Structures are given as structure tokens and as C-alpha cells.
């Protein structure tokens, strides 16, 4: 039994501390976090805009809203949003990344590869975030919008001050699910020769010839996900203040 | 104050309002009664364009509000509305519910709005609930707060859409009491309700709606004691 544990420790020491290999994981971790944060921000911005377009198109009053320029723009935007979510959700992330890297940004300098990857993951995530936010907004009772509008607030003010703050509470659990998925999906960045956390583990594996480096990478992902889950818990408790009864 | 000309509303093939003509003067308390599905709520919701009419015109204080060029948001500031389901904003405290619209629309500062909110809460005896959240309150308390939330905009007319229908029976009284006080203060009111006692006591005029039309209207005494239309007689027999 002790021999077994010593064996594990030796393997871990060899894969992590020997030859300062931990710096390699750290570099990979940094890249993974960088791409995740960039993708997360881009994804939320894209998702929010598309979701609001979709919801607004559904609630345009007829026939009044049809004739105005704003109504027309919303309809075109909503059509684009539908196309976007269909195409992005209908094709693999890796294919999108390769097309963006070898196609659209073919001429971009290699040091921007990380940005291209972040952008690609963000574009992908945006489609999922859009559906999450749309569902969250539509889960809020129509009466809330009607109450806001009946007080003289315009559509934007009602969305911003009445509907969205309530929708956030419903959106939170699912959107953290999406962030967790996103964090782990950045592991395909290795395909465009970026050294993310997964790639770092795999490179060390090819030196030490055990699977221990991959287990180490996996554990780091696990810790990150647990941290994210903790953040989610704190946010949910804070937003729950108005739910508590006396 | 409100002029309705040949108003109609159809949901698909279903005609809910069928060419309604009506005039509501300043200071009137108009109570609308009728069987469910008669179009009375739809009629009320058309008055502030929560429902978009499919035909006809509505004038409010001389302005054609069904004209697409009219800024309906400015009109709605003058028309308070109270809903069957209260529709308080659950993520905001009672005080914030009341001050949100006046402050957001730049009608007064947060401090002025707060003072006004406290004065209104004082009036309905709920000052101590200023910092509570709607879910911590009873239905009756929520509905009274929904009424003062609308009053905080200083509306010229108040529209009530079955304000007591979602309440437990013992809470109906407290809400009707607030509405009666409002009526005594001279507010113009249009009320859709099943509370015949309220109609009898407070209304200056009672309208009976059926099949998308106003079938009969009269002051409450005449309306209840001497109904003419056979549908109204039948309706009153059932509810009284």
C-alpha cells in the first residue's frame, strides 16, 4: 500500500516539480484563462444583444410596430439572430475555430492566435448564451412588462429596470453551466498550436511517458470549475434577498 | 376626458370588441360589469393601449392616442393602471416600486419621490412596509401598494382591471376602502369588477358589457333596480 502511494508521489513529483515542469502547466493555465475570459465577455455581449432582438421581435405590437423603421430593424436583427444560433449551434466548435484561424484570420500574425481562439470561442458561446438569456427573459411574467409600460416607462427602460434584473436570477444557474462548458472547451485550442492547459499536460506526458501530467491538467480544470461553482453560489444567495419571507 | 369612437379589437377571427362608442368625463367613476369573456378587460386595456385596437379611435384629453405618431409613453404617465395580479416588481422594495417610474422619467428627484412615497404609504397605513419586498406582504397589502405606485405618477385617470379578483375574501375590503377614498378625492376612475356592492356605492355610472358591446348603461340605482336588457336581467339574477 505504502509502495503504491510512494509510486504515485514519485510520478507526480517527476511530472510536476522535476525540471520546473510546473511552469509549463502555469503557462497553459494562463492561456486557458485568457481565452476563457475573452470568450466569456464576447459571448455574453453577443448573447445579450441577440436575445433582446429576439424577444423584442416577439413583443412588437401589431400593427403599430410594423410600419416604423425601428420595428423593421428589430425584425431584420431577429432574423439574423435566428440564423446565427442555427448555424453556430449546428456546427462543431472545432470546425468553427479552424475556419476562423485558417480562413478569416489567415494573414493575422501568429502572436494573435490566442485572440483568434478567444474570439472563436466567444462567437460559439454567444449562440448558447443568447438562448439562455432569451429563455430567462421569457420566464418573467408579461404582467411585469405591462406594469412597467403602464407607468410610462418605455420598452428599453422596462427591459433594463424591471425585466432583466429579475431574469438574471433565472439565467444565473444555466449561464454558469455555459461558462463551465466554455472553460473546458478551450482545450481544442491545441489544434491551432496554442499551448493551453490540456496541451501543456500532453506535452509533459510525451516527456515523462505516464498519464500523470494529464491527470494534473484535469485536476486543475476541476479546481477552476469548483471555484466557479462557489462564485455562482454566492451570487445566487445575494440575488435571492427579495425571495426571503419575513 | 376619454373619448372612444367605434373601437374594435379582434384576436384573429374572434371579435372581442365590436364597435364601442363611449365618453368618460372628468371626475366620473365608471364601473364596468359583465360576464367573463364579454370584453370588459380588453376594453379597459385598450384605453392605455396595453392592447392595440384593430379598429376605431381613442382620444385622451383631446389627443388621438391610437395615432401611431402619438408618444404613448407620455399618455400613460397620465393614466394609472391597477392589475388583477398586482404586478409589483418583486426584486424591488415597496418604496423603490413606488419611486421607480417618477425618478427614472425625471419627474422628480429620488428624495422628493421618497417623501411622496412615504406620504402615500402613510395614507394606506403601510409606512412600516416601505423597505419590505412584495413577496413578504399579503395580497391585500400588495394591491394597495400597487394603487399608490400608480398614484405616485399623479395620473388624471385610474384604470382598475378586476383589482380584487385575485384576493382572499377577507382582503377585498381593505382594497375597496382605498378605492373609495380615491373616489371621494375626486379621481376619475374606470373600474372593471365583479364587486356589485362597490358599483352600487361608488359608481356614478355602470356599464354592462356583453359580446363585445356595451348593452346597457345607467346610474347605479337605475342599473340595479330597473334593468332593461334581458341579458342584464339574467346577469344580475345570477350575481346578486
Amino acid at each position: 500500500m505504502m509502495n503504491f502511494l510512494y509510486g504515485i508521489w514519485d510520478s507526480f513529483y517527476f511530472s510536476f516539480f522535476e525540471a520546473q515542469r510546473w511552469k509549463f502547466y502555469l503557462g497553459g493555465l494562463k492561456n486557458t484563462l485568457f481565452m476563457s475570459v475573452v470568450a466569456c465577455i464576447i459571448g455574453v455581449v453577443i448573447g445579450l444583444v441577440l436575445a433582446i432582438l429576439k424577444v423584442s421581435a416577439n413583443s412588437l405590437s401589431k400593427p403599430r410596430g410594423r410600419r416604423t423603421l425601428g420595428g423593421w430593424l428589430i425584425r431584420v436583427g431577429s432574423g439574423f439572430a435566428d440564423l446565427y444560433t442555427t448555424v453556430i449551434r449546428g456546427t462543431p466548435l472545432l470546425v468553427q475555430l479552424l475556419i476562423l484561424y485558417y480562413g478569416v484570420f489567415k494573414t493575422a500574425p501568429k502572436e494573435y492566435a490566442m485572440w483568434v481562439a478567444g474570439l472563436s470561442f466567444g462567437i460559439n458561446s454567444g449562440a448558447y448564451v443568447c438562448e439562455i438569456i432569451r429563455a430567462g427573459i421569457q420566464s418573467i411574467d408579461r404582467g411585469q412588462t405591462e406594469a412597467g409600460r403602464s407607468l410610462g416607462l418605455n420598452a428599453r427602460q422596462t427591459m433594463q429596470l424591471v425585466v432583466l434584473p429579475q431574469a438574471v436570477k433565472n439565467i444565473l444557474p444555466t449561464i454558469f453551466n455555459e461558462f463551465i462548458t466554455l472553460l473546458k472547451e478551450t482545450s481544442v485550442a491545441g489544434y491551432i498550436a496554442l499551448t493551453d492547459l490540456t496541451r501543456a499536460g500532453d506535452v509533459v506526458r510525451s516527456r515523462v511517458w505516464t498519464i500523470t501530467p494529464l491527470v494534473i491538467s484535469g485536476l486543475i480544470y476541476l479546481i477552476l470549475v469548483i471555484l466557479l461553482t462557489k462564485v455562482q453560489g454566492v451570487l445566487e444567495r445575494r440575488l435571492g434577498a427579495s425571495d426571503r419571507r419575513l | 376626458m376619454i373619448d372612444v369612437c367605434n373601437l374594435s379589437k379582434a384576436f384573429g377571427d374572434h371579435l372581442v370588441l365590436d364597435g364601442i362608442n363611449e365618453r368618460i368625463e372628468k371626475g366620473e367613476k365608471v364601473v364596468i360589469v359583465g360576464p367573463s369573456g364579454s370584453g370588459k378587460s380588453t376594453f379597459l386595456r385598450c384605453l392605455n393601449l396595453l392592447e392595440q385596437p384593430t379598429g376605431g379611435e381613442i382620444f385622451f384629453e383631446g389627443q388621438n392616442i391610437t395615432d401611431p405618431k402619438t408618444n404613448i409613453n407620455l399618455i400613460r404617465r397620465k393614466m394609472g393602471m391597477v392589475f388583477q395580479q398586482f404586478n409589483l416588481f418583486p426584486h424591488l422594495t415597496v418604496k423603490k416600486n413606488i419611486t421607480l417610474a417618477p425618478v427614472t422619467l425625471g419627474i422628480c428627484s429620488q428624495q422628493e419621490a421618497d417623501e411622496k412615497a412615504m406620504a402615500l404609504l402613510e395614507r394606506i397605513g403601510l409606512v412600516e412596509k416601505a423597505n419590505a419586498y412584495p413577496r413578504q406582504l399579503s395580497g391585500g397589502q400588495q394591491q394597495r401598494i400597487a394603487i399608490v405606485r400608480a398614484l405616485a405618477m399623479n395620473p388624471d385617470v385610474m384604470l382598475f382591471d378586476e383589482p380584487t379578483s385575485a384576493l382572499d375574501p377577507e382582503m377585498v375590503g381593505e382594497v375597496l376602502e382605498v378605492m373609495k377614498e380615491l373616489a371621494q378625492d375626486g379621481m376619475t376612475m374606470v373600474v372593471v369588477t365583479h364587486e356589485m356592492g362597490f358599483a352600487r356605492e361608488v359608481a356614478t355610472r355602470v356599464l354592462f358589457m356583453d359580446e363585445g358591446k356595451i348593452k346597457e348603461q345607467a346610474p347605479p340605482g337605475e342599473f340595479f333596480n330597473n334593468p332593461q336588457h334581458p341579458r342584464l336581467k339574467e346577469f344580475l339574477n345570477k350575481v346578486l
Side-chain angles (χ1 to χ4, degrees), chain A residues 89-214:
Chain A
R89 294 202 301 175
T91 54
L93 171 66
L94 182 53
V95 172
Q96 294 163 15
L97 174 67
L98 294 176
I99 288 175
L100 211 62
Y101 184 70
Y102 291 114
V104 182
F105 289 100
K106 195 162 74 180
T107 53
K110 289 294 168 242
E111 57 267 33
Y112 288 107
M114 201 85 73
W115 285 98
V116 174
L119 177 65
S120 176
F121 300 144
I123 289 173
N124 182 270
S125 186
Y128 293 91
V129 172
C130 165
E131 289 303 299
I132 292 169
I133 295 180
R134 183 187 59 77
I137 290 173
Q138 284 174 344
S139 71
I140 302 303
D141 186 66
R142 257 183 75 91
Q144 291 292 310
T145 307
E146 290 182 350
R149 298 304 304 271
S150 78
L151 288 164
L153 299 175
N154 64 30
R156 188 185 56 76
Q157 291 162 332
T158 306
M159 178 58 76
Q160 198 178 319
L161 300 169
V162 175
V163 178
L164 276 182
Q166 297 181 60
V168 164
K169 215 184 313 186
N170 298 346
I171 290 169
L172 211 62
T174 10
I175 211 161
F176 265 83
N177 208 16
E178 169 60 20
F179 291 159
I180 287 169
T181 307
L182 176 63
L183 174 76
K184 292 179 296 181
E185 277 188 342
T186 57
S187 60
V188 302
Y191 274 92
I192 58 167
L194 287 171
T195 310
D196 71 312
L197 189 51
T198 303
R199 181 75 168 205
D202 199 41
V203 168
V204 177
R205 180 196 58 79
S206 68
R207 306 239 173 93
V208 301
W209 285 105
T210 66
I211 56 153
T212 311
L214 296 174

Side-chain angles (χ1 to χ4, degrees), chain B residues 39-102:
Chain B
K40 52 195 193 307
S41 275
T42 307
F43 172 64
L44 190 77
R45 289 161 56 83
C46 279
L47 296 182
N48 67 352
L49 293 201
L50 279 188
E51 295 292 352
Q52 190 70 35
T54 41
E57 287 173 327
I58 301 167
F59 294 85
F60 176 67
E61 295 176 343
Q63 236 182 321
N64 182 356
I65 67 170
T66 38
D67 181 348
K69 288 197 251 335
T70 306
N71 183 350
I72 189 62
N73 297 319
L74 293 177
I75 303 288
R76 284 180 181 144
R77 294 182 189 188
K78 298 266 157 224
M79 306 174 102
M81 186 156 200
V82 176
F83 300 86
Q84 185 176 351
Q85 299 295 338
F86 330 138
N87 294 344
L88 289 179
F89 307 133
H91 61 303
L92 301 176
T93 62
V94 165
K95 205 204 294 185
K96 210 77 209 325
N97 260 278
I98 300 170
T99 60
L100 181 73

Side-chain angles (χ1 to χ4, degrees), chain A residues 50-62 65-66 70-71 73-79 81-82 130-131 133-135 137-139 142 145 159:
Chain A
L50 295 186
I52 288 176
L53 278 172
K54 278 194 180 190
V55 176
S56 309
N58 277 343
S59 62
L60 275 186
S61 54
K62 315 163 219 179
R66 303 231 149 164
L73 282 175
I74 285 175
R75 227 177 306 282
V76 171
S78 162
D82 282 336
C130 165
E131 289 303 299
I133 295 180
R134 183 187 59 77
I137 290 173
Q138 284 174 344
S139 71
R142 257 183 75 91
T145 307
M159 178 58 76

